Amino acid sequence: MTVGILGLGLIGGSMARAYRKAGHRVLASDTDGQMLSFAKLAGAVSGELTGENIPECDLILLCVYPEASAAWLEKHGAEIAKTALVLDCCGIKAPICRRCFPVAERYGFTFVGGHPMAGSHYSGFKYSRSNLFQGAPMVLVPPVFDDIGLLQRVKDALSPCGFGSFSVTTAEDHDKMIAFTSQMPHIVSNAYVKSPTAAGHQGFSAGSYKDLTRVAWLNPGMWAELFLENRENVLFELDSYLESLRAYRDAIAAEDVSKLTALLAEGRDRKEAIDG
């Protein structure tokens, strides 16, 4: 199989390594020419993805920001083989699916929205690894929901990555949920470390600090685009969180021990009910 990969960051680089390890031909494109050269030297990439060899690809993985992924597909759609499968790996689905489904229909190839639920607070090819997706969930947004053959085709195409499970949903439901499970934690973590107290935390912090601040170290440009592309869902989660924080603050300011205890118990019970 010939696999085309757009973008050699953490996700694209890990995809490239996984497919090369499985013996497939990997063609890649990256705005950083030096990074592409390094990926070739590292054995993760067979050659450059160009307009001339796009038709040779059986599978194309779009691993750059949503806007860039959609723009690339709109530009190169006519060059993609009708037998090819194209998946994006972006963190939001509605904007990219809205643009990419019509392109696939126009030119006759198959596009499926995808979101690999794996990653790291580190970014870039140097942190990529072939086993990044082993056992991880993969979320899929297909153009139709009753095509079992298509879903099996996607699973087979992604088998070198080693995903542990697949979920099928709509773009809208994906983006609503991801605002809560992924985007909000990054905002909260990033905002938390801005406390003036943070500079002196050494010697006073342990697991709680590490857990809460891990994703504060993020890619600002990428996450800013994701937040704005998913604006309404992120604002809903932010408003809900701020309302909860206000309740805790008011109880502490009023020295209302019964109210504070009730709020804490409610959060504990909610966590138990959600996660067991």
Side-chain angles (χ1 to χ4, degrees), residues 87-99:
L87 287 95
D88 81 285
C89 296
C90 300
I92 55 169
K93 297 272 72 77
I96 193 165
C97 287
R98 189 161 51 243
R99 291 173 64 179

Side-chain angles (χ1 to χ4, degrees), residues 5-9 28-36 48-49 64:
I5 298 179
L6 180 66
L8 286 171
S29 174
D30 194 275
T31 54
D32 186 341
Q34 289 185 326
M35 187 58 63
L36 179 61
E48 183 177 3
L49 179 66
V64 292

Side-chain angles (χ1 to χ4, degrees), residues 49 57-58 66 112 116-117 124 143 145-146 153 159 161 176 179 183 207 213 231 261 270 273:
L49 179 66
C57 295
D58 305 292
V112 175
M117 303 306 297
F145 288 83
D146 58 354
R153 180 186 175 192
S159 60
C161 299
K176 180 178 179 180
Q183 294 177 333
T213 60
R231 178 176 174 272
T261 301
R270 182 72 64 87

Side-chain angles (χ1 to χ4, degrees), residues 4-193:
I5 298 179
L6 180 66
L8 286 171
L10 175 67
I11 299 299
S14 295
M15 291 280 189
R17 291 182 186 277
Y19 281 96
R20 283 293 293 148
K21 186 175 181 180
H24 298 288
R25 178 190 182 207
V26 175
L27 304 174
S29 174
D30 194 275
T31 54
D32 186 341
Q34 289 185 326
M35 187 58 63
L36 179 61
S37 297
F38 180 75
K40 291 178 184 177
L41 288 173
V45 172
S46 311
E48 183 177 3
L49 179 66
T50 66
E52 287 71 32
N53 58 31
I54 286 175
E56 302 172 19
C57 295
D58 305 292
L59 172 67
I60 295 177
L61 300 167
L62 308 179
C63 303
V64 292
Y65 298 178
E67 169 61 31
S69 291
W72 186 91
L73 199 66
E74 290 168 344
K75 179 179 179 180
H76 295 283
E79 301 161 6
I80 298 172
K82 287 181 169 56
T83 55
L85 174 65
V86 180
L87 287 95
D88 81 285
C89 296
C90 300
I92 55 169
K93 297 272 72 77
I96 193 165
C97 287
R98 189 161 51 243
R99 291 173 64 179
C100 292
F101 282 144
V103 176
E105 186 175 0
R106 183 183 315 134
Y107 294 111
F109 60 85
T110 301
F111 174 82
V112 175
H115 187 182
M117 303 306 297
S120 167
H121 54 290
Y122 298 111
S123 61
F125 180 81
K126 68 178 179 178
Y127 296 107
S128 64
R129 60 183 194 274
S130 63
N131 65 349
L132 179 67
F133 310 106
Q134 285 291 326
M138 177 66 169
V139 181
L140 301 175
V141 179
V144 292
F145 288 83
D146 58 354
D147 190 339
I148 301 302
L150 172 58
L151 296 178
Q152 188 59 53
R153 180 186 175 192
V154 173
K155 290 181 181 181
D156 292 342
L158 292 174
S159 60
C161 299
F163 288 105
S165 63
F166 291 85
S167 300
V168 179
T169 186
T170 65
E172 292 72 23
D173 286 346
H174 168 277
D175 291 355
K176 180 178 179 180
M177 186 56 67
I178 217 69
F180 172 73
T181 62
S182 177
Q183 294 177 333
M184 269 299 292
H186 282 79
I187 292 173
V188 171
S189 180
N190 195 263
Y192 173 73
V193 295

Side-chain angles (χ1 to χ4, degrees), residues 248 257-273:
Y248 287 96
V257 65
S258 62
K259 177 64 175 176
L260 183 58
T261 301
L263 288 169
L264 294 169
E266 180 186 24
R268 178 202 60 196
D269 295 346
R270 182 72 64 87
K271 168 67 174 175
E272 183 177 8

